[in-house]
Amino acid sequence: MGTVHARSLEPLPPSGPDFGALGEEAEFVEVEPEAKQEILENKDVVVQHVHFDGLGRTKDDVIMYEIGDVFKAKNLIEVMRKSHEAREKLLRLGIFRQVDVLIDTCQGDDALPNGLDVTFEVTELRRLTGSYNTMVGNNEGSMVLGVKLPNLLGRAEKVTFQFSYGTKETSYGLSFFKPQPGNFERNFSVNLYKVTGQFPWSSLRETDRGLSAEYSFPVWRTSHTVKWEGVWRELGCLARTASFAVRKESGHSLKSSLSHAMVIDSRNSSILPRRGALLKVNQELAGYTGGDVSFIKEDFELQLNKQLVFDSVFSTSLWGGMLVPIGDKPSSIADRFYLGGPTSVRGFSMHSVGPQSEGDYLGGEAYWAGGLHLYTPLPFRPGQGGFGELFRTHFFLNAGNLCNLNYGEGPKAHIRKLAECIRWSYGAGIVLRLGNIARLELNYCVPMGVQKGDRICDGVQFGAGIRFL
C-alpha cells in the first residue's frame, strides 16, 4: 500500500483522575489488538491540515485536485485509504520520484480533540532525465533512448525526445504531453516524428515524416482518443527484385486524417489475461482535411477471457476491418490490412496471406481473423509459485481471411467473399510472459486451408509481441 505511517490518536497520559502515578507497583493492562483496531476504525476523526514537504516547481493547484478526497475521510482507516489513493494519483502524474505519507494528531491552538494532520513528503524528479531500454513489438525488437523534461511548467507537462533503433524500424520523435488538472485521463499531446520502416514481405521501404495532435478522455467505462495526423510518406523498393505492383506504389504522398479510437478493457492483464474482456474500435477518415489520399477505414478487436478449473484459462478473440477508398484513386499499399504470422493466424509467415504479386504481398481492403485458445499450467507444475508461473501451455485454433472487395456488389457478396478460401491452423506450444512488457510463444503449428501464393510455416514457429490474436 506504499509508505503510510499513522501514529496513535490519543496517547494515554501517565497520570490522571482515574490513574495513579506510574511506579514500580503500577499494573499494566494489555489491550487486545482486535479491540484497538475496532476503536480506530469506529472513531470519528477530522482531517484539519494537509502539508507537503519537498515541493519545488510544482504548482499548488495541481496537487490540490489530487488530495481533495483526503479531507472527506471520517475515520482513521478511511484516512489511510484515501491518503494511499492520493499518493497513487500523485505518482501517476509522473512528476515525483517518491511520495511518502505521514498521519499524525493535529497540533496547535486550533487543534480539535479528534483532529488529524496528513503530511505528504515528496521528492520531485529532476528537470532533465534520461532513459534507455529495449522494447518488443510484434515479432521485432528495438533499443530506445529517451530524454525527458518532466513537470516543465509546474502542472505535470512533459516534453520527450525519443530515438528508437529496431530490427525493422528506426524512428525519432519529439512530443509534448499535458494532462487536465484533477483528471489525468483527460490529456492532450502533440507529436513530431520521423519513422523509417522495412517490410520485407512486400519488398517495401517506407519513410514517414509527420505531425499529430490527439486528445484522450474517458466516458463512463470507455476511454476515447480523437486524433488528427498529417504525414508525408515516401515509399520505395526494398530490393531490386521488387514486383512491378510494388514499384508502381513507390513515390511520395501526403495523408491528412482524422481518427477516433474507443477502448473498453476489463482484463486483469494486457499481456496474458486470466479474466475480463477487451473491445477496441478504430475509425479513420482521410482526405477531408487535405492531402492526396482519401479513404474511410474501420477496424475492431474483441477478446474474452474466462478462468476455468485447474488454473486453466479459455480465451477467444475476433479481429476485423474494412477500408473503402474515396474517389477514383485506389488504396495505397501503406494503408491496407495484412494478415498472417505468429501474432495473428499462426502457421503462416509474417503478413504472407492474401493478394500478392511475384512473391510480394500487397495487403487487402477487408479482413477478419478469429482464435480459440486454452492456456494451462505446465505439466506437473514445475516451479510452482515462482519462475514456473511465467510459463503456460498453449493450445489454439486460428482462422481468417484477407481480400479485396468490389464495393458495388453489396454486403451479401462481401460476406461470401470473406467466407471463401478461409485459412486456418491449429497447434500447441508454450507461452512465456515477460512481466507486463511482452510475451513469447513457441508453437508447433499445422496450417490448413492454404491458398495459392500463401507462405506457410509448417512446424515450429516463434513469436514475440504485445498483441496476439
Side-chain angles (χ1 to χ4, degrees):
M1 180 170 149
T3 308
V4 180
H5 305 285
R7 296 179 184 173
S8 175
L9 292 184
E10 293 184 356
L12 293 177
S15 63
D18 298 328
F19 298 91
L22 293 180
E24 296 180 358
E25 299 179 0
E27 183 177 355
F28 290 88
V29 179
E30 184 177 354
V31 180
E32 294 294 331
E34 294 80 3
K36 182 177 180 180
Q37 182 176 356
E38 184 178 355
I39 293 173
L40 294 177
E41 288 178 353
N42 297 330
K43 187 175 183 65
D44 291 334
V45 299
V46 176
V47 178
Q48 289 189 252
H49 307 102
V50 175
H51 306 280
F52 271 83
D53 293 338
L55 286 182
R57 61 186 185 277
T58 304
K59 307 298 183 183
D60 292 343
D61 57 337
V62 175
I63 59 175
M64 285 303 297
Y65 284 110
E66 309 301 336
I67 66 170
D69 289 342
V70 176
F71 289 99
K72 301 177 183 179
K74 301 301 182 182
N75 56 62
L76 179 61
I77 301 302
E78 196 172 337
V79 171
M80 296 179 66
R81 185 177 71 251
K82 290 188 178 296
S83 298
H84 171 68
E85 293 173 355
R87 175 182 179 272
E88 294 299 312
K89 291 179 181 179
L90 292 170
L91 288 172
R92 185 180 58 174
L93 293 176
I95 61 179
F96 300 115
R97 179 182 296 109
Q98 184 176 353
V99 178
D100 294 332
V101 185
L102 177 65
I103 303 173
D104 199 357
T105 53
C106 189
Q107 305 294 329
D109 297 336
D110 62 342
L112 298 175
N114 60 342
L116 293 181
D117 283 349
V118 179
T119 302
F120 291 87
E121 299 176 348
V122 301
T123 304
E124 292 183 339
L125 291 174
R126 292 177 294 180
R127 292 183 180 273
L128 179 65
T129 63
S131 63
Y132 63 92
N133 52 64
T134 57
M135 294 182 62
V136 179
N138 286 329
N139 232 38
E140 61 177 308
S142 59
M143 177 188 68
V144 182
L145 303 176
V147 176
K148 297 181 182 179
L149 299 172
N151 205 16
L152 184 65
L153 304 176
R155 290 184 171 88
E157 303 89 353
K158 179 173 61 177
V159 173
T160 304
F161 175 79
Q162 188 167 280
F163 171 77
S164 173
Y165 181 81
T167 54
K168 298 186 181 73
E169 185 177 282
T170 301
S171 66
Y172 56 85
L174 181 68
S175 66
F176 173 78
F177 174 83
K178 166 67 175 175
Q180 177 179 321
N183 195 338
F184 190 79
E185 287 80 9
R186 293 181 180 269
N187 55 75
F188 174 76
S189 63
V190 178
N191 301 278
L192 181 67
Y193 62 88
K194 178 182 178 181
V195 181
T196 300
Q198 299 181 357
F199 309 98
W201 48 84
S202 300
S203 299
L204 181 72
R205 178 188 292 109
E206 179 179 354
T207 300
D208 293 348
R209 303 171 181 88
L211 173 68
S212 68
E214 61 183 70
Y215 178 65
S216 299
F217 58 96
V219 176
W220 194 47
R221 297 183 179 179
T222 66
S223 60
H224 298 257
T225 300
V226 179
K227 179 179 179 181
W228 171 83
E229 183 179 33
V231 55
W232 169 26
R233 305 186 298 189
E234 181 182 358
L235 304 182
C237 297
L238 187 60
R240 300 178 65 180
T241 57
S243 64
F244 178 75
V246 174
R247 294 178 184 274
K248 187 172 64 174
E249 297 270 3
S250 299
H252 298 265
S253 64
L254 182 62
K255 185 183 80 168
S256 176
S257 67
L258 295 170
S259 62
H260 167 258
M262 183 198 73
V263 179
I264 304 175
D265 192 353
S266 62
R267 300 173 299 172
N268 67 315
S269 169
S270 60
I271 302 300
L272 195 59
R274 293 175 176 268
R275 60 183 180 276
L278 168 70
L279 174 63
K280 287 184 179 181
V281 180
N282 300 287
Q283 302 100 15
E284 183 179 8
L285 174 63
Y288 276 77
T289 54
D292 55 4
V293 177
S294 300
F295 62 82
I296 299 175
K297 185 177 183 180
E298 182 151 359
D299 64 278
F300 72 90
E301 176 181 350
L302 176 65
Q303 184 185 100
L304 302 173
N305 304 279
K306 177 67 175 178
Q307 192 161 8
L308 306 177
V309 295
F310 305 117
D311 199 24
S312 59
V313 177
F314 176 75
S315 176
T316 179
S317 55
L318 179 65
W319 297 355
M322 182 176 293
L323 183 149
V324 181
I326 300 176
D328 300 330
K329 192 174 181 180
S331 62
S332 170
I333 190 173
D335 297 316
R336 299 182 195 130
F337 300 104
Y338 291 84
L339 192 63
T343 60
S344 58
V345 181
R346 297 161 178 81
F348 293 82
S349 297
M350 196 71 177
H351 298 330
S352 299
V353 168
Q356 56 92 25
S357 175
E358 302 175 30
D360 293 333
Y361 293 88
L362 308 177
E365 295 177 347
Y367 88 103
W368 70 270
L372 301 175
H373 305 266
L374 179 64
Y375 301 97
T376 65
L378 294 177
F380 308 111
R381 303 296 294 269
Q384 185 176 1
F387 185 69
E389 296 296 329
L390 300 177
F391 293 87
R392 307 286 287 180
T393 307
H394 178 213
F395 304 91
F396 67 88
L397 172 64
N398 294 157
N401 195 12
L402 175 77
C403 62
N404 292 316
L405 301 177
N406 184 347
Y407 293 102
E409 294 180 345
K412 291 185 179 181
H414 297 167
I415 294 175
R416 281 198 302 269
K417 192 164 186 179
L418 286 170
E420 294 175 353
C421 307
I422 296 177
R423 286 83 166 175
W424 62 284
S425 64
Y426 64 92
I430 295 177
V431 177
L432 169 62
R433 177 174 57 86
L434 299 177
N436 291 319
I437 302 173
R439 87 186 204 194
L440 309 179
E441 287 190 4
L442 185 64
N443 296 311
Y444 186 87
C445 308
V446 181
M448 306 293 289
V450 181
Q451 305 299 315
K452 183 179 179 181
D454 293 345
R455 193 174 298 159
I456 65 172
C457 183
D458 191 2
V460 178
Q461 186 177 40
F462 174 78
I466 56 177
R467 179 175 179 260
F468 285 80
L469 177 66

